[in-house]
Amino acid sequence: MPTLLQRVHQAIRRQQLCEPGSRVLVGLSGGADSVALTLLLRDLAAEGDVVLAGLVHVHHGLRATADRDEAFCRALAARLALPLEVERADVRGVAAREGRSLEDAARRLRYLLLARAAERLGADRVAVAHTLDDQAETVLLRLVRGAGLTGAAGIHPRRGQVIRPLLGVSRAELRAELAARGEPWVEDESNADLANPRSRVRHRVLPELDRVLGAPVAPALARAAALAGEDGAWLDALAGARVEALTRAMPGGLALDAVGLKAEPLPLRRRILRQVLRSRSPGREIGLEHVEAALDVLVGGRRGADVPGSRVELRPGKLVLLDKGAASDVVPAGSDPE
Amino acid sequence: MPTLLQRVHQAIRRQQLCEPGSRVLVGLSGGADSVALTLLLRDLAAEGDVVLAGLVHVHHGLRATADRDEAFCRALAARLALPLEVERADVRGVAAREGRSLEDAARRLRYLLLARAAERLGADRVAVAHTLDDQAETVLLRLVRGAGLTGAAGIHPRRGQVIRPLLGVSRAELRAELAARGEPWVEDESNADLANPRSRVRHRVLPELDRVLGAPVAPALARAAALAGEDGAWLDALAGARVEALTRAMPGGLALDAVGLKAEPLPLRRRILRQVLRSRSPGREIGLEHVEAALDVLVGGRRGADVPGSRVELRPGKLVLLDKGAASDVVPAGSDPE
């Protein structure tokens, strides 16, 4: 069995998370996962495999324990002799201003602040501590929220400069590692709040599923997510290659070759429509229900459909996506049975 | 909103579960789902949409309540003036003789006995009462058992002569329908036994997931399963079309063109290998881990791998699948680092 350090090293190499000479900044909350990530990357840095640029702690201001967490991170950084950036996130303010949920605002702000700290410390990678369990939770949450299975592809090991070297490691393994090293961490009380959907998945759903299987289910869920990610990425690429051939600009919108679109196999047809609808709706998510509505229009199941950014209608040989507002010129009021 | 009867009628038409003049036999356990299915199909038969050939009850002999269930089904059939076949299943005997789990033996035997009753009653379709909730449970069970997402494609609305017209209807809707009609049913106590994985998913996992979402999650899971089924079926067909071009018979086994196989995108490469391995291992399941092992051999990550039905090895330009037994002539003992 490879050691935990060897497995993290292998994940970084196999998934090409770093380049030679990459300078890595570590996101440190003070929780077990990010403390373990810090120590593991420090060991890899000592072996010359990566360069540790420093640590960054995002002070959310939402938790009663935020000051305690910051103090813990400052003490750890001092002990490890690593530079620490502390970023203050006005989550409530951003959520209110941008009309987002606290969870969504916190997530966006966190990645923004991590990127800012990376720039200040001259880092080209930001390592965050998502684990195998986070992956399993994400897959289940996306599934039940109706993302479809390809939507359930899960957390990526790398997105731009953000890398996640612990996606193959369970939380229990990280805690065991810290215990073995005699290293302390702080507990995030918000994780225990069952009003939080992710906490409920973590503390109620996954333990029940583990009982069903008689073993941890996180590896199977993570594996399913990885395979769905592979399938999805390839199908998306195939669909993307067809989009240009099938679409034509038209006054007030975009036209899709209806005959050509119908000739595509259903998995591609869905993805082509999704990509085209998405390109016309920056910032608003196109869901399965919008793709379904457009598909229904394509096969004549309904006269038209309103989706984010477009009014979808069928014309002879064409599925047209009209800019919102232009539609009212074309469709007599009340003509749509939907 | 269409009525429940209209929805079932629509499902039968859209998914082409029956042909004009189809004679349908209904599998009746006495539980709420199959009682509702019986009554709904009887209504459709009264409208001339299908012909009801009769009912079939499989007496499993496993449950303490089996005799009560049979009596209930006999009374219902008499009241509806429908022929009833009662089939006795020696589940324990079959499980012991064939080395199967009770659950697996019961399932196989049930479909065998349903087919036999269909033949006796001159039916060309056997309707069984799987619901939206069964679908959601199946998807979760397959996911956590490591089927991967395409494996989680779920229960099919039709397999041969077996049709499932209630896959889009929840158990709660069926019970409400029975309550509204003043129709009784019997409860299957084995459903409440939490030692049964499916019962645990039903009574513990799905209710927790419903709480996460604040609404029933079964529709999203069923939808995900349907989409995964579509993607998977198309990818399997693409892979199938490549299998012949890439394989050559050889003495003592089969050779795959390694260069051509490596040139395939990973989603197809996995499926090609799975199909080829499966064709050489009738009756023994090829799992993700066997496909992974063969992929590892293909890229030189290991010298060889033993999978059901084959010994996999890499030769110049070829991935060879050797018949089990022939391998020992080729591989010196102890040469495999695995």
Side-chain angles (χ1 to χ4, degrees), chain B residues 112-175:
Chain B
L112 204 76
L113 296 172
L114 291 179
R116 200 164 73 180
E119 205 179 330
R120 254 198 322 263
L121 287 174
D124 57 339
R125 293 288 185 280
V126 180
V128 292
H130 291 103
T131 63
L132 188 64
D133 302 279
D134 291 305
Q135 183 69 289
E137 290 157 20
T138 300
V139 172
L140 277 180
L141 279 169
R142 290 197 186 160
L143 265 182
V144 302
R145 283 171 176 165
L149 286 185
T150 328
I155 311 171
H156 288 257
R158 180 172 171 195
R159 277 280 198 215
Q161 65 177 0
V162 175
I163 62 173
R164 300 186 175 91
L166 300 184
L167 275 185
V169 182
S170 73
R171 247 176 239 139
E173 290 174 292
L174 295 173
R175 280 165 192 249

Side-chain angles (χ1 to χ4, degrees), chain B residues 114-326:
Chain B
L114 291 179
R116 200 164 73 180
E119 205 179 330
R120 254 198 322 263
L121 287 174
D124 57 339
R125 293 288 185 280
V126 180
V128 292
H130 291 103
T131 63
L132 188 64
D133 302 279
D134 291 305
Q135 183 69 289
E137 290 157 20
T138 300
V139 172
L140 277 180
L141 279 169
R142 290 197 186 160
L143 265 182
V144 302
R145 283 171 176 165
L149 286 185
T150 328
I155 311 171
H156 288 257
R158 180 172 171 195
R159 277 280 198 215
Q161 65 177 0
V162 175
I163 62 173
R164 300 186 175 91
L166 300 184
L167 275 185
V169 182
S170 73
R171 247 176 239 139
E173 290 174 292
L174 295 173
R175 280 165 192 249
E177 176 80 12
L178 291 182
R181 292 175 181 234
E183 286 283 349
W185 67 86
V186 292
E187 292 290 350
D188 174 0
E189 275 82 16
S190 73
N191 284 339
D193 175 9
L194 292 181
N196 172 341
R198 184 174 288 272
S199 293
R200 192 168 273 276
V201 167
R202 179 175 307 173
H203 296 294
R204 292 291 166 88
V205 177
L206 283 167
E208 277 297 342
L209 281 173
D210 289 351
R211 263 170 236 134
V212 166
L213 195 64
V217 297
L221 289 175
R223 175 158 205 74
L227 288 176
E230 273 175 16
D231 285 359
W234 187 59
L235 290 169
D236 281 338
L238 287 181
R242 301 293 301 136
V243 165
E244 207 183 338
L246 290 169
T247 54
R248 293 283 172 274
M250 59 172 266
L254 198 77
L256 275 144
D257 171 358
V259 179
L261 191 56
K262 280 190 197 166
E264 297 290 342
L266 196 48
L268 291 190
R269 211 181 308 157
R270 282 190 202 286
R271 286 175 171 85
I272 290 167
L273 278 173
R274 185 168 202 155
Q275 288 179 20
V276 174
L277 292 178
R278 229 178 227 171
S279 71
R280 294 174 48 79
S281 166
R284 287 197 55 195
E285 192 48 32
I286 295 294
L288 285 179
E289 68 278 19
H290 304 129
V291 174
E292 281 306 307
L295 273 173
D296 267 359
V297 174
L298 177 67
V299 298
R302 53 197 282 179
R303 284 269 315 259
D306 283 298
V307 301
S310 304
R311 162 88 193 164
V312 186
E313 294 185 4
L314 192 65
R315 302 281 169 78
K318 288 185 297 196
L319 187 73
V320 298
L321 312 182
L322 302 169
D323 303 340
K324 280 290 177 75

Side-chain angles (χ1 to χ4, degrees), chain A residues 149 228 230-231 270-271 292, chain B residues 149 228 230-231 270-271:
Chain A
L149 286 186
E230 271 175 17
D231 285 358
R270 280 188 203 288
R271 285 177 170 84
E292 281 307 307
Chain B
L149 286 185
E230 273 175 16
D231 285 359
R270 282 190 202 286
R271 286 175 171 85

